[in-house]
Amino acid sequence: EEFKKRESNKWDYKVSNGESYAILNKRIIKFLRKINKNTNYIIFTHEMVSKVIRGRLLKLDKNKIMKLKHNNNYVFIFNNNKVRKVKI
């Protein structure tokens, strides 16, 4: 039952004692507003956060954000409004 609810609307589905992509998106927007855009950062994260950060940086809508992949053997480099995926 819970799996069906989540699959029908992953963006808004809130995990028990957790958060939805929609809630995380609001936190990421606040975070990105606060950081110095002229400074280089290394951010280590898991899939959900990685997808939303990349989506926000690329100004993607929620449907495109949800389709992003997060491979553990890659790093993502954001530069000049583009994300480059580099295998490590």
Side-chain angles (χ1 to χ4, degrees):
E1 180 68 26
E2 285 300 309
F3 182 77
K4 286 180 183 178
K5 285 183 189 177
R6 181 176 184 268
E7 287 302 306
S8 69
N9 185 1
K10 277 188 179 179
W11 185 261
D12 293 306
Y13 181 82
K14 184 180 175 293
V15 178
S16 179
N17 297 316
E19 64 186 350
S20 65
Y21 276 91
I23 294 168
L24 173 63
N25 183 56
K26 290 177 184 176
R27 286 196 310 115
I28 295 299
I29 289 169
K30 288 180 187 177
F31 168 74
L32 292 174
R33 284 184 186 143
K34 290 180 182 179
I35 64 172
N36 181 341
K37 303 297 190 270
N38 297 316
T39 302
N40 293 322
Y41 296 93
I42 297 175
I43 301 171
F44 294 90
T45 185
H46 58 80
E47 180 176 18
M48 190 173 173
V49 177
S50 170
K51 288 166 68 168
V52 175
I53 287 175
R54 287 182 285 139
R56 291 295 98 210
L57 291 173
L58 295 170
K59 298 176 178 34
L60 301 178
D61 66 36
K62 67 182 181 180
N63 295 316
K64 289 183 180 175
I65 290 172
M66 295 305 296
K67 291 179 182 175
L68 292 174
K69 301 295 181 203
H70 175 87
N71 305 93
N72 291 326
N73 59 335
Y74 285 83
V75 295
F76 299 93
I77 300 169
F78 183 77
N79 191 14
N80 296 323
N81 296 318
K82 294 180 182 177
V83 172
R84 186 167 46 108
K85 184 175 167 181
V86 179
K87 189 170 185 174
I88 54 173

